[in-house]
Amino acid sequence: MADIPDIVPETEEKPVVHPIVIEGLRNQFGPNIVHEDLKLTVERGKVLGVVGGSGTGKTVLLNSILGLQKPSAGAIHLFGQDITRLSEKKMRAMQSRFGVLFQSGALFSALSVVENICVPLTEYARLKPAMAREIGLMKMALVGLPLDAADKRPSELSGGMIKRTALARALVLDPELLFLDEPTAGLDPIGAAAFDTLIRELSDSLNLTVFMITHDLDSLYAICDEVAVLADRQVVETAPPKVLEQSEHPWIHEYFHGPRGRVSKGE
């Protein structure tokens, strides 16, 4: 009898789960509506820059995604889970899957560099101090910090070293998603360029998804796959910087072609 070939059942393709999907987001403070029906999707492994004029709610949007600001309406999905509906325990578990670098660095002045980096390890992983320190030292090397800075206090660091310490702390739990709030603010052009290069290299090597609020046009061109523009209470356009150069939206056009725009300088 001839062999009867095995019948392999057709398998349905699993839907793609993006790290961030925002739908119908509304943020309102009293009569002031900051965001209305805002939509945004961030694909895995991409670096997304977020820009917008003063008062467009960039920080409010970031705080909403981090779970620090409860929106008035809408859904914020991180890795397929709507964080607006998560319990405190589940939200805490979710927070261990992303890292955050705040604009000022937000280091603890009483702790050393390596102690600052290890804070999430003691908070989430509950590791013994010796093991936590070893991991902290590895993260220092990852972000280009000299190991002899491990026991220095933040007050002894340069602006660039503060940023790298904060970045090491954001990466210490090996997150899948990294949030950056004005990462190059306060750095000189050379330091800012070096930090941009570091973020791009880390994103590529660690397959990180990066959500970055910035005003720095050089950063947008250097490391962003796409840029989301906040205006008119929404994300009005999301595209690579070179595509946004052609936008007819008044704010976007002014941003790229205005006195400080790279396009106007012929760069």
Side-chain angles (χ1 to χ4, degrees):
M1 181 181 293
D3 291 336
I4 300 175
D6 293 333
I7 299 176
V8 180
E10 294 184 4
T11 56
E12 295 184 3
E13 290 187 6
K14 293 182 179 180
V16 176
V17 178
H18 297 295
I20 303 175
V21 177
I22 302 174
E23 299 171 330
L25 183 68
R26 179 188 178 99
N27 278 309
Q28 181 172 359
F29 303 92
N32 182 29
I33 300 174
V34 180
H35 302 131
E36 183 68 75
D37 195 28
L38 185 150
K39 301 178 181 65
L40 179 65
T41 296
V42 184
E43 297 180 10
R44 187 177 300 275
K46 300 293 186 181
V47 177
L48 177 80
V50 178
V51 301
S54 177
T56 54
K58 298 182 292 296
T59 300
V60 172
L61 176 60
L62 175 61
N63 288 342
S64 297
I65 300 172
L66 296 178
L68 303 176
Q69 158 68 37
K70 188 173 179 61
S72 305
I76 301 172
H77 293 91
L78 298 184
F79 308 108
Q81 298 185 62
D82 184 356
I83 65 167
T84 66
R85 300 178 180 274
L86 292 183
S87 66
E88 184 176 343
K89 181 179 180 180
K90 290 184 177 180
M91 186 61 203
R92 184 174 175 80
M94 177 64 73
Q95 288 171 339
S96 69
R97 298 181 68 180
F98 59 74
V100 187
L101 188 159
F102 294 101
Q103 181 174 341
S104 63
L107 300 181
F108 296 102
S109 60
L111 300 182
S112 68
V113 165
V114 73
E115 287 171 341
N116 266 284
I117 294 169
C118 291
V119 166
L121 289 174
T122 55
E123 183 177 352
Y124 289 97
R126 301 185 184 279
L127 295 181
K128 292 181 179 180
M131 183 176 293
R133 182 180 174 88
E134 286 301 312
I135 295 174
L137 293 174
M138 287 191 293
K139 297 304 178 183
M140 286 182 63
L142 181 67
V143 302
L145 279 169
L147 296 185
D148 61 9
D151 296 312
K152 291 184 177 181
R153 293 291 189 267
S155 60
E156 302 176 79
L157 304 179
S158 66
M161 291 179 71
I162 288 174
K163 296 281 188 180
R164 288 175 186 260
T165 301
L167 180 60
R169 182 177 62 186
L171 295 172
V172 76
L173 292 175
D174 296 326
E176 303 162 73
L177 181 57
L178 179 64
F179 293 96
L180 307 174
D181 185 8
E182 298 285 359
T184 58
L187 298 180
D188 62 75
I190 295 174
F195 203 76
D196 283 340
T197 300
L198 174 63
I199 291 171
R200 183 74 252 186
E201 289 176 348
L202 290 172
S203 174
D204 291 340
S205 61
L206 303 177
N207 195 29
L208 280 171
T209 304
V210 179
F211 180 103
M212 178 178 70
I213 294 176
T214 186
H215 286 97
D216 192 335
L217 273 166
D218 289 334
S219 293
L220 295 182
Y221 282 91
I223 66 174
C224 290
D225 297 298
E226 290 192 328
V227 177
V229 182
L230 282 174
D232 310 323
R233 300 178 178 173
Q234 299 178 337
V235 174
V236 291
E237 290 192 42
T238 303
K242 287 291 186 181
V243 176
L244 289 176
E245 290 176 7
Q246 313 305 318
S247 174
E248 296 182 359
H249 186 281
W251 189 89
I252 299 175
H253 185 273
E254 179 65 18
Y255 184 73
F256 283 97
H257 297 266
R260 299 192 178 215
R262 288 176 51 141
V263 175
S264 66
K265 299 174 185 177
E267 299 180 7

